[in-house]
């Protein structure tokens, strides 16, 4: 059927040979298995006609054996059932036993509660599975704390409940399992906060004499065991091989630039309309809410009547209607942001269109995994944007289809976050000297010197006046927010660092689909004033950074270049902003904002004064281009947003005295990204080299060495020089 | 009669018209006889105030004047007034506690001051020791704040806390009794508007942490004086307020 469909597609009048490559991923055979279960649970499975797969049985055995585990099998492989079965078995055997389920978002916890209620009903267990978070009505809270044996919540809420631990003493004393679902979402600052929160939880559980098992469930990542250790402090067993059935997949690589007369949006809408009208139920993923609305509307205009947009921000009822419409095939197509990537039960579809690379292979395959019903064949269409990472995968389908995944890192050593969580811990139970590491000990001394904590015979206690738990927030490191207001009304708050980048005077901001222009930004007062105005352009700030090396933590010598990593001090200034209309810069304006200085993790590469093959006048352009390419490829190795990493390059760096490229975590205190890039520099350089040398352009373009965020307007850049510099880096970093 | 399950204001009226006036008189009533007998069996003679309190709490709001009648069931030496001063709102140390013991015509106030933050545990131990001898405590906003804080700080230090005395929070009673006469039910407003107490040179509650910090920093006990006075006056006011409220209920009868 797919073959016919392709023949029909390539015969359409609007088709201009955009398909550059078709890859086939062979079907996978199912491996069923059996494991002895208590009759109640076995009857439940029999009643539903469910046969377990081998990997699910393995999960059951590992959890039964009392081990901590991380499950990273593919989307739709039945991960949730696999850990729910042994947990229910355990709770069946221990009538007091309790389980805590952590979800990154409230909506996911609510969705999961439905499944747990069903399992509870069918098995006749009395657990009162309950969501306990900010939305739980006051009248229900007491009973949940006293009676419920299965509580679902999110890290933000848990953070605020820990100081009230005595109210949870029944639940905490009997806690046997902690489930951390969608664990891959805990990265960057949020992930680091969650890791530190879990340490605090463990300490309180210790106080109540319990030590529960930890079960993590996550999308595929390159380093499940290391990541689980960083997040939970435990040594876990990893189960990563899925054994569920999967039909053949066809992946189409679609180069929208080959039809310059139609935008990517239009081409995606055409494809969506074509597939849905051929009876192929399709889910289309895009990067932004606006794009989701636009593609759905365009497809609708082309005659695709049963296509709807979906995004976070819709009312729960609207969302549920779309979800059940998809499951029951009432709806033929949906255009969604990553909100539908996983966690929400929508069943499986026939085809998935990825408009733009979603930032990581992890996300790409979570999204693509939505296609494929049982062992039926499925279709995936990848339509890249014009940027380096998107275009890289268009030209390198093997890398797109490969098994390799990104690493996921967090940085519990980030001094600012570690100090905050120590403060919170000391406000929960007196913090005894033997509970902290030497590194934390020096943070404690600092906190005591600043009169935040004080020493008592029972340990360090919190003595500040503000609630310890409100000093910082779980999402951001910058603390107090800037209020964005329009005619005296509060629109939203933004952390000061983001405000400098996005809410400078003259900036265009989107809020609930409306455009606003920033009139002024007063950082000290914490206010930005906006006016609502319909504009058809957008703006982008440009920044320059000065990086000072503070300490060297690790170094690697090569024949002619040197690679080091350590701590650095970054001073960033926003120098101006561009006004862009239909992808064209129409004006550049200067900005006058105070500079911001912070400490972070960095790596730097020093080159010899003369790099063979690069004439002196091309040196800076070459280094600059190589820096852009290295940063562009970083998301291939480690899960991060494009904005999390930045760099500078110079032909003569003040401290090294040599031509230098510096790359650093653009997160105050550091997020551990530079360390991963340092360790995998050879692969990073090799991918960057492939990106640049395989790009068909002549002198560099937005698909290879141009960076949309460059504070120097992408000048100077030299493609030839960049290739030479990267070649040298690749050659010299080969290790045996 | 309102203490029996099923008897609301309407039934109460009806029963009085039919000649019933007390729970014992209801023993012969065809519908409420059994519940009346059950309650009387639970409420042994002499009455157990804790049991009465539990029953009252099922049917009446905390501000109901009947709760004040519990005072008549508890010997004076088993009653305590109490009030705390802390470093802020929640999750911060307690620095001062006052316990008031009512006498025949006076009130004896004992204050426990933490001279440094590490004395908080000692303070908690002394206060809970006093509480362990009490079967009824009186506070102002203590149900939301002082009692909760005491309990939370004991949990913080891992000290046992299994006290469940009858707790009469005079805030609820003052709010109900003076609803028409006062704009709010803050203790200060009640003092000025009802009890005619004028505090000279008083420290506002929210300034307590700042003064205590100043004391800790300088080691000079000067800033402690207004804190200690403020806390002492709070408990003295509690006793006066109670007399006033009891007078009101007596008049009503």
């Amino acid at each position: 059927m797919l073959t016919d469909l392709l023949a029909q597609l390539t015969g359409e009048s609007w088709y201009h040979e955009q398909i550059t490559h078709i890859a086939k991923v062979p079907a996978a055979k199912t491996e069923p298995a059996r494991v002895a279960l208590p009759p109640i649970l076995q009857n439940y499975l029999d009643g539903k006609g469910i046969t377990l797969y081998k990997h699910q049985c393995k999960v059951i055995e590992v959890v039964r054996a009392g081990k901590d585990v991380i499950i990273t099998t593919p989307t739709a492989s039945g991960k949730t059932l696999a850990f729910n079965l042994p947990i229910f078995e355990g709770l069946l055997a221990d009538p007091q036993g309790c389980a805590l389920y952590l979800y990154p978002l409230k909506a996911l916890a609510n969705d999961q509660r439905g499944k747990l209620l069903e399992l509870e009903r069918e098995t006749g267990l009395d657990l009162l599975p309950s969501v306990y978070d900010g939305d739980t009505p006051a009248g229900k809270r007491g009973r949940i704390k006293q009676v419920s044996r299965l509580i679902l919540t999110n890290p933000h809420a848990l953070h605020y409940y820990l100081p009230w631990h005595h109210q949870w003493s029944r639940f905490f004393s009997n806690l046997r399992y902690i489930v951390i679902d969608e664990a891959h979402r805990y990265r960057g600052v949020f992930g680091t906060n969650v890791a530190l929160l879990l340490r605090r939880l463990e300490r309180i559980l210790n106080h109540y004499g319990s030590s529960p098992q930890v079960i993590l469930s996550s999308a595929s990542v390159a380093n499940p065991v290391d990541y689980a250790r960083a997040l939970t402090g435990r040594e876990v067993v990893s189960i990563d091989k899925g054994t569920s059935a999967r039909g053949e997949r066809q992946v189409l690589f679609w180069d929208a630039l080959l039809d310059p007369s139609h935008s990517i949006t239009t081409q995606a809408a055409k494809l969506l309309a074509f597939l849905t009208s051929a009876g192929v139920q399709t889910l289309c993923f895009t990067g932004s809410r606006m794009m989701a609305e636009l593609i759905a509307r365009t497809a609708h205009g082309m005659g695709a009547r049963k296509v709807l947009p979906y995004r976070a921000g819709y009312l729960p009822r609207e969302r549920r209607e779309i979800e059940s419409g998809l499951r029951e095939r009432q709806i033929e197509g949906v255009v969604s942001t990553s909100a539908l990537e996983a966690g929400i039960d929508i069943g499986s579809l026939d085809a998935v269109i990825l408009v733009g690379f979603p930032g990581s292979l992890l996300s790409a395959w979570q999204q693509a995994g939505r296609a494929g019903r049982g062992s039926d064949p499925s279709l995936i269409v990848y339509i890249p944007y014009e940027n380096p990472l998107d275009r890289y995968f268009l030209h390198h389908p093997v890398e797109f289809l490969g098994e390799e995944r990104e690493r996921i890192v967090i940085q519990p050593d980030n001094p600012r976050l570690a100090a905050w969580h120590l403060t919170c811990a000391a406000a929960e139970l007196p913090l005894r000297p033997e509970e902290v590491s030497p590194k934390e000990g020096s943070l404690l001394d600092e906190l005591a010197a600043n009169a935040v904590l004080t020493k008592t015979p029972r340990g360090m206690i919190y003595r500040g006046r503000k609630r310890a738990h409100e000093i910082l927030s779980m999402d951001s490191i910058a603390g107090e927010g800037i209020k964005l207001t329009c005619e005296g009304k509060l629109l939203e708050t933004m952390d000061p660092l983001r405000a400098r980048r996005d809410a400078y005077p003259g900036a265009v901001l989107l809020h609930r689909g409306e455009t606003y222009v920033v009139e002024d930004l007063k950082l000290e007062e914490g206010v930005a004033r906006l006016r609502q105005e319909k504009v058809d352009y957008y703006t982008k700030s440009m920044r320059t950074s000065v990086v000072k090396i503070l300490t060297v933590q690790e170094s690697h010598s090569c024949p002619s270049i040197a690679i080091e990593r350590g701590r650095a001090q970054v001073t960033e200034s926003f120098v101006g902003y561009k006004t862009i209309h239909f992808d064209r810069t129409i004006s550049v304006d200067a900005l006058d904002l105070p500079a911001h200085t912070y400490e972070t993790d960095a790596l730097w590469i020093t080159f010899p004064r003369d790099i063979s093959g690069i004439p002196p006048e091309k040196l800076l352009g070459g280094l600059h281009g190589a820096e852009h390419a290295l940063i562009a490829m970083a998301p291939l190795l480690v899960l991060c947003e494009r904005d999390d990493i930045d760099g500078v390059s110079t032909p003569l760096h003040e401290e090294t005295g040599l031509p230098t490229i510096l790359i650093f975590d653009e997160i105050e205190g550091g997020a551990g990204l530079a360390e991963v890039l340092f360790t995998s520099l050879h692969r990073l350089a090799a991918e960057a080299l492939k990106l640049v040398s395989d790009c068909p352009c002549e002198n560099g373009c937005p698909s290879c060495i141009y960076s949309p965020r460059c504070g120097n307007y992408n000048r100077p850049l030299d493609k030839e020089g960049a290739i030479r510099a990267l070649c040298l880096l690749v050659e010299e970093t080969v290790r045996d | 009669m309102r203490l029996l399950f099923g008897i609301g204001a309407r039934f109460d009226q009806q029963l009085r018209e039919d000649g019933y006036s007390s729970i014992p008189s209801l023993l012969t009533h065809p519908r409420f006889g059994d519940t009346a007998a059950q309650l009387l069996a639970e409420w042994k003679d002499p009455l157990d105030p804790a049991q009465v309190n539990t029953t009252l709490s099922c049917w009446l709001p905390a501000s109901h004047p009947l709760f004040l009648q519990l005072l008549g069931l508890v010997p004076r030496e088993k009653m305590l007034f109490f009030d705390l001063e802390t470093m802020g709102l929640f999750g911060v140390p307690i620095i001062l506690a006052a316990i008031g013991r009512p006498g025949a015509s006076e009130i004896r106030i004992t204050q426990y001051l933490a001279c440094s933050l590490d004395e908080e545990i000692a303070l908690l131990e002394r206060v809970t020791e006093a509480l362990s001898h009490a079967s009824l405590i009186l506070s102002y906003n203590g149900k939301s704040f002082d009692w909760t804080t005491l309990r939370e700080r004991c949990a913080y230090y891992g000290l046992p806390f299994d006290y469940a005395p009858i707790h009469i929070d005079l805030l609820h009673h003052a709010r109900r009794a003076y609803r028409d006469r006062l704009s709010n039910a803050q203790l200060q407003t009640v003092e000025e508007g009802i009890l005619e107490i004028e505090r000279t040179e008083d420290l506002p509650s929210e300034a307590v942490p700042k003064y205590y910090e100043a004391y800790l920093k300088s080691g000079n006990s000067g800033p402690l004086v207004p804190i200690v006075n403020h806390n002492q006056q709070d408990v003295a006011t509690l006793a006066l307020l109670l007399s006033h409220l009891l007078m009101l209920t007596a008049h009503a009868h």
Side-chain angles (χ1 to χ4, degrees):
Chain A
M1 183 204 159
L2 275 179
T3 324
D4 298 346
L5 195 71
L6 278 180
Q8 202 188 326
L9 172 62
T10 49
E12 291 283 314
S13 62
W14 54 274
Y15 180 73
H16 295 281
E17 310 286 325
Q18 289 103 319
I19 300 174
T20 57
H21 184 78
I22 300 177
K24 283 186 183 160
V25 185
K29 272 222 184 80
T30 159
E31 292 180 52
R34 278 193 78 86
V35 65
L37 283 170
I40 290 181
L41 295 174
Q42 190 57 53
N43 290 344
Y44 166 78
L45 293 180
D46 294 345
K48 294 233 135 198
I50 299 171
T51 323
L52 294 176
Y53 302 116
K54 203 165 141 193
H55 69 272
Q56 291 177 308
C57 293
K58 200 171 160 203
V59 172
I60 294 172
E61 280 158 8
V62 170
V63 175
R64 264 183 189 166
K67 290 183 184 139
D68 300 321
V69 60
I70 182 165
I71 313 161
T72 56
T73 55
T75 314
S77 59
K79 283 186 272 208
T80 313
L81 181 69
F83 62 72
N84 277 338
L85 287 173
I87 289 176
F88 270 61
E89 186 184 31
L91 298 182
L92 200 61
D94 174 2
Q96 306 296 319
C98 297
L100 176 70
Y101 283 54
L102 272 185
Y103 284 86
L105 302 167
K106 285 180 184 171
L108 295 177
N110 285 316
D111 195 64
Q112 283 303 319
R113 177 172 173 264
K115 284 188 196 159
L116 291 162
L117 276 177
E118 185 197 294
L119 193 55
E120 187 207 27
R121 203 173 41 240
E122 306 264 332
T123 55
L125 268 155
D126 191 13
L127 304 177
L128 191 71
S130 308
V131 174
Y132 195 103
D133 59 26
D135 295 342
T136 307
K140 288 194 174 170
R141 297 184 164 221
R143 187 167 144 75
I144 295 176
K145 280 187 275 198
Q146 280 158 22
V147 183
S148 176
R149 292 173 58 201
L150 201 163
I151 292 178
L152 304 102
T153 190
N154 61 71
H156 294 89
L158 184 63
H159 167 69
Y160 284 106
Y161 304 147
L162 286 188
W164 301 97
H165 48 81
H166 67 94
Q167 299 183 354
W168 296 83
S169 56
R170 188 243 357 148
F171 185 76
F172 284 163
S173 312
N174 293 300
L175 195 59
R176 291 198 43 189
Y177 305 99
I178 298 175
V179 172
I180 303 171
D181 206 349
E182 298 276 306
H184 59 274
R185 303 225 191 179
Y186 302 130
R187 57 194 198 233
V189 170
F190 183 46
T192 300
N193 272 322
V194 172
L196 293 163
L197 169 72
L198 290 171
R199 304 240 190 321
R200 279 163 46 210
L201 173 66
E202 182 133 25
R203 178 170 173 261
I204 284 169
L205 293 174
N206 228 335
H207 178 76
Y208 287 96
S210 67
S211 177
Q213 257 177 278
V214 180
I215 296 153
L216 300 113
S217 171
S218 153
S220 305
V221 294
N223 56 335
V225 174
D226 289 347
Y227 169 66
R229 186 189 303 116
L231 189 70
T232 65
R234 310 254 188 136
E235 286 305 322
V236 306
V237 176
S238 165
I239 295 177
D240 54 7
K241 291 244 173 339
T243 50
S244 45
R246 203 192 54 221
E248 187 191 70
R249 282 172 170 163
Q250 289 213 32
V251 186
L252 308 189
F253 291 79
W254 185 283
D255 187 355
L257 299 186
L258 295 176
D259 176 9
S261 54
H262 291 100
S263 71
I264 290 179
T265 319
T266 312
Q267 295 185 46
K270 279 198 161 133
L271 254 172
L272 182 61
F274 169 81
L275 288 171
T276 53
S277 60
V280 178
Q281 199 190 22
T282 306
L283 184 53
C284 175
F285 283 102
T286 77
S288 74
R289 295 167 172 205
M290 256 190 23
M291 200 57 101
E293 304 268 359
L294 190 60
I295 293 177
R297 208 183 318 139
T298 313
H300 211 262
M302 293 167 179
R305 294 280 168 244
K306 288 185 181 170
V307 169
L308 291 170
Y310 180 103
R311 60 176 170 81
Y314 279 2
L315 295 173
R317 186 179 48 80
E318 296 172 321
R319 289 212 307 260
R320 275 196 299 273
E321 272 171 23
I322 299 175
E323 291 156 18
S324 66
L326 278 172
R327 277 195 303 269
E328 289 149 21
R329 305 204 69 142
Q330 301 287 320
I331 296 172
E332 289 166 349
V334 162
V335 191
S336 172
T337 59
S338 62
L340 265 187
E341 188 172 301
I344 308 282
D345 183 15
I346 51 166
S348 296
L349 297 92
D350 303 315
V352 162
I353 304 174
L354 305 178
V355 181
F357 184 67
S360 65
L361 284 167
L362 177 152
S363 282
W365 285 101
Q366 288 263 100
Q367 297 179 354
R370 287 294 198 179
R373 220 180 294 272
S375 48
D376 292 348
S378 60
L379 181 71
I380 292 151
V381 187
Y382 170 55
I383 310 178
Y385 281 120
E386 192 183 5
N387 69 53
L389 200 57
D390 280 49
R391 302 291 293 178
Y392 169 89
F393 285 116
L394 179 74
H395 298 307
H396 300 93
V398 176
E399 278 76 357
F400 186 85
L401 300 164
E403 296 277 309
E404 195 107 37
R405 291 289 176 270
E406 299 86 357
R407 293 179 73 81
I408 175 166
V409 296
I410 48 177
Q411 177 61 293
D413 286 339
N414 180 311
R416 189 160 170 178
L417 297 182
W420 177 44
H421 285 270
L422 282 172
T423 307
C424 292
E428 286 153 6
L429 289 169
L431 194 56
R432 294 187 311 277
E434 66 268 24
E435 290 183 289
V436 298
S437 67
K439 214 180 225 169
E440 290 169 328
S442 60
L443 287 173
L444 279 185
D445 293 341
E446 221 170 282
L447 289 166
N450 294 330
V452 176
L453 302 182
T454 195
K455 216 175 229 154
T456 76
R458 296 283 177 118
M460 291 286 220
I461 68 165
Y462 176 61
R463 60 167 294 182
R465 279 193 244 159
K466 194 175 173 169
R467 246 181 236 213
H469 295 70
E470 288 172 356
I471 295 173
L472 291 184
S473 94
M474 296 285 287
D475 296 311
S476 148
I477 195 157
E480 298 286 307
I482 303 284
K483 294 189 173 75
L484 306 190
T485 60
C486 178
E487 289 173 357
K489 272 202 313 206
L490 178 70
L491 296 178
E492 58 180 295
T493 58
M494 202 180 250
D495 80 56
L497 290 180
R498 238 197 90 202
R500 296 152 50 84
R501 185 193 303 156
D502 294 339
Y504 45 86
V508 174
L509 282 174
L510 264 177
H511 176 78
R512 294 188 180 224
E514 302 289 334
T515 49
Y516 292 80
V517 178
V518 179
E519 294 190 330
D520 57 26
L521 168 65
K522 296 202 169 98
L523 285 165
E524 278 175 19
E525 294 168 32
V527 192
R529 283 195 303 127
L530 278 64
R531 65 166 189 275
Q532 196 176 345
E533 189 179 322
K534 271 203 187 333
V535 292
D536 57 358
Y537 59 87
Y538 65 99
T539 56
K540 210 158 221 170
S541 59
M542 290 169 307
R543 160 194 45 188
T544 57
S545 303
V546 178
V547 185
K548 202 174 147 208
I549 297 164
L550 299 176
T551 53
V552 183
Q553 289 166 333
E554 210 177 333
S555 56
H556 183 74
S557 263
C558 310
S560 74
I561 60 176
I563 306 156
E564 291 177 306
R565 73 166 185 92
R567 298 289 284 178
Q569 188 191 62
V570 177
T571 303
E572 68 170 21
S573 344
F574 288 93
V575 289
Y577 68 94
K578 290 193 265 192
T579 303
I580 301 160
H581 187 250
F582 290 118
D583 288 345
R584 274 190 44 235
T585 302
I586 52 173
S587 71
V588 177
D589 294 87
L591 276 178
D592 180 25
L593 290 171
H596 173 70
T597 301
Y598 60 92
E599 210 185 296
T600 187
D601 293 327
L603 78 96
W604 51 97
I605 307 154
T606 48
F607 290 88
R609 277 202 183 78
D610 302 301
I611 304 175
S612 67
I614 308 184
E617 71 276 9
K618 288 192 165 185
L619 179 62
L620 180 57
L623 294 181
H624 193 191
E627 172 217 321
H628 283 182
L630 288 167
I631 294 173
M633 287 295 102
L636 211 58
L637 301 182
V638 60
L639 280 178
C640 60
E641 312 295 328
R642 207 192 165 104
D643 288 359
D644 292 345
I645 298 177
D646 198 8
V648 294
S649 25
T650 153
L652 178 68
H653 189 263
E654 203 168 312
E655 276 121 349
T656 64
L658 288 166
T660 305
I661 294 175
L662 284 112
I663 293 174
F664 54 89
D665 294 11
E666 204 189 325
I667 292 170
E668 199 167 333
L673 304 172
E675 186 179 340
V676 177
L677 301 184
F678 174 85
T679 315
S680 317
L681 195 61
H682 175 69
R683 188 170 158 225
L684 180 66
E687 301 295 353
L689 179 61
K690 271 201 289 192
L691 167 81
V692 184
S693 54
D694 292 355
C695 185
C697 73
E698 208 150 298
N699 300 315
C701 73
S703 295
C704 56
I705 55 176
Y706 282 37
S707 161
R709 299 172 60 231
C710 181
N712 297 313
Y713 314 91
N714 282 309
R715 277 191 308 238
L717 282 176
D718 187 88
K719 188 176 178 182
E720 189 54 37
I723 292 176
R724 294 271 174 182
L726 289 169
C727 267
L728 187 64
L729 195 53
V730 173
E731 281 164 20
E732 296 205 359
T733 49
V734 177
R735 298 175 201 184
D736 5 70
Chain B
M1 293 193 289
R2 291 276 305 272
L3 297 179
L4 294 182
F5 179 76
I7 302 186
R10 204 167 51 84
F11 259 119
D12 188 58
Q13 180 75 22
Q14 173 95 53
L15 290 166
R16 282 178 194 281
E17 282 167 19
D18 294 350
Y20 296 94
S21 59
S22 65
I23 294 176
S25 69
L26 278 175
L27 285 171
T28 55
H29 191 275
R31 176 162 171 198
F32 297 112
D34 286 354
T35 19
Q38 202 186 338
L39 185 91
L40 289 175
E42 280 170 12
W43 287 21
K44 291 180 200 80
D45 193 34
L47 279 177
D48 173 8
Q51 179 67 53
V52 176
N53 181 52
T54 312
T55 314
L56 294 185
S57 306
C58 287
W59 306 115
L60 304 177
S63 63
H64 198 280
L66 209 48
F67 280 101
L68 296 177
Q69 302 298 322
L70 287 167
L71 292 163
L73 301 174
V74 178
R76 206 161 52 212
E77 62 275 15
K78 290 273 189 189
M79 288 181 201
L80 284 185
F81 294 93
F82 95 117
D83 184 61
L84 301 177
E85 305 300 332
T86 70
M87 288 289 280
L89 274 175
F90 289 100
V92 293
I94 298 172
I95 51 174
L96 178 62
I99 300 276
R101 293 183 173 84
S105 59
E106 78 291 327
I107 173 169
R108 275 173 298 116
I109 300 174
T110 314
Q111 286 176 283
Y112 302 95
L113 173 71
C115 294
S116 62
L117 291 172
D118 59 10
E119 288 187 1
E120 188 190 7
I121 301 176
L123 180 153
L124 290 168
E125 284 169 345
R126 300 300 280 281
V127 172
T128 50
E129 212 278 325
L131 284 173
S132 69
H133 298 297
S135 47
L136 187 149
I137 57 164
L138 294 125
S139 71
Y140 204 79
N141 193 26
K143 280 194 178 169
S144 322
F145 184 71
D146 305 60
W147 187 259
T148 317
T149 303
L150 195 64
R151 201 196 160 106
E152 191 222 310
R153 294 308 285 178
C154 283
Y156 176 70
Y157 288 111
L159 300 174
F161 194 96
D162 47 9
Y163 318 105
I166 300 166
H167 186 163
I168 296 183
D169 188 336
L170 293 182
L171 169 68
H172 302 295
H173 294 275
R175 202 178 266 152
R176 180 165 167 146
Y178 312 130
R179 197 165 26 206
D180 302 331
R181 294 169 61 187
L182 299 176
S183 56
N184 64 52
Q186 279 177 21
L187 194 58
Q188 192 113 16
T189 320
V190 176
E191 284 178 349
E192 285 165 13
I194 307 289
L195 306 173
E196 291 170 6
I197 301 170
E198 201 183 323
R199 294 199 193 197
T200 47
E201 298 168 32
D202 183 55
L203 185 69
S205 297
E206 56 275 17
V208 167
K210 210 168 73 193
Y211 274 58
Y212 192 80
E213 283 281 3
Y215 152 72
L216 284 181
K217 215 170 193 174
S218 63
N220 176 348
S221 56
L224 288 179
V225 178
I227 301 179
V228 171
N229 288 342
H230 170 88
N231 175 243
Q232 187 184 38
Q233 181 61 52
D234 275 0
V235 169
T237 300
L238 267 183
L240 289 169
L241 172 61
L242 177 63
S243 313
H244 198 271
L245 287 165
L246 287 173
M247 244 156 45
L248 282 184
T249 29
H251 279 303
H253 277 284

